[in-house]
Amino acid sequence: TLVAFERWLEIRLIRAAHRVVSVSDPIVNQFRQIARETSLDSRKYHTLPNGFDREDFARNDPPSCDPTRLTIVYSGLFHSSTTPVHFFEAVAGLIEEGLLPGEVVRLQFLGVLSADVQVPPALAGLVECRGYVGHAEVIAALLASDVQLLIIDGSAWGKHAYRGKVFEYLAAGRPILALVPPDGVAADLIRESHAGVV
């Protein structure tokens, strides 16, 4: 079958490679297991996490936050398995129960919000979808936020891979609200960095 052929090819490629590099230890270990290699040769298997460019943040003057608003910013794309629907439902529920005053909340999305995502009526006028924007504008929005929203799905990839935005969120230094697999690498990094709440 095609799947068996792909697995055979994957094993051959990993075994033949002089170096195997990925973004997290669990993925690197998974490659080692796929190839059925027991060697712990550190010269072959390497973890190279994503990062951020300090100059991107040095070029942005720290903006003044609006003390009358709670601005929550998400940077990036949503796809079929990563969606803000549950986050929207939670915020709408807090507003409807009177636990969060709707007039102070601003939810800002920098990237594409898929057409199948419906904003609840309780959040009408509170959600701002800015679409694709320049990188400097993303950094400025992160620095001006009160909370940075991180959403990662519960798939194996979601657990084992960092998202590039995680490191920019850390660099921005604003609190992170992480709706991520609690046993994943992103959750571990946020906890270890004391950068937010998982």
Side-chain angles (χ1 to χ4, degrees), residues 78-87 114 117 151:
F78 286 107
H79 46 79
S80 57
S81 60
T82 302
T83 172
V85 168
H86 301 298
F87 172 71
S114 53
V117 174
I151 300 175

Side-chain angles (χ1 to χ4, degrees), residues 35-182:
R36 299 182 183 94
E37 289 189 328
T38 56
S39 167
L40 298 177
D41 185 354
S42 61
R43 292 173 297 177
K44 178 168 182 175
Y45 291 94
H46 299 274
T47 298
L48 183 63
N50 293 321
F52 66 92
D53 189 337
R54 290 186 190 279
E55 289 185 15
D56 291 340
F57 292 84
R59 287 192 290 264
N60 277 275
D61 294 326
S64 57
C65 300
D66 183 348
T68 66
R69 302 295 295 268
L70 173 64
T71 302
I72 302 174
V73 173
Y74 178 91
S75 164
L77 302 175
F78 286 107
H79 46 79
S80 57
S81 60
T82 302
T83 172
V85 168
H86 301 298
F87 172 71
F88 282 163
E89 291 172 353
V91 174
L94 291 171
I95 291 172
E96 289 166 357
E97 293 173 28
L99 299 173
L100 182 65
E103 64 272 11
V104 306
V105 178
R106 180 173 66 162
L107 308 177
Q108 194 174 81
F109 291 86
L110 311 176
V112 175
L113 197 61
S114 53
D116 60 333
V117 174
Q118 300 296 316
V119 176
L123 301 184
L126 307 182
V127 178
E128 178 187 357
C129 299
R130 292 169 58 183
Y132 287 109
V133 297
H135 192 244
E137 195 173 338
V138 171
I139 301 300
L142 295 178
L143 291 169
S145 69
D146 296 297
V147 176
Q148 301 171 107
L149 176 62
L150 177 65
I151 300 175
I152 299 176
D153 66 78
S155 66
W157 181 254
K159 288 181 181 179
H160 300 322
Y162 299 106
R163 298 295 189 267
K165 70 173 67 66
V166 173
F167 296 91
E168 290 195 334
Y169 280 17
L170 291 172
R174 311 302 295 156
I176 300 171
L177 173 59
L179 308 179
V180 302

Side-chain angles (χ1 to χ4, degrees), residues 181-193:
D183 55 345
V185 293
D188 291 343
L189 178 62
I190 289 165
R191 289 190 194 104
E192 290 166 9
S193 305

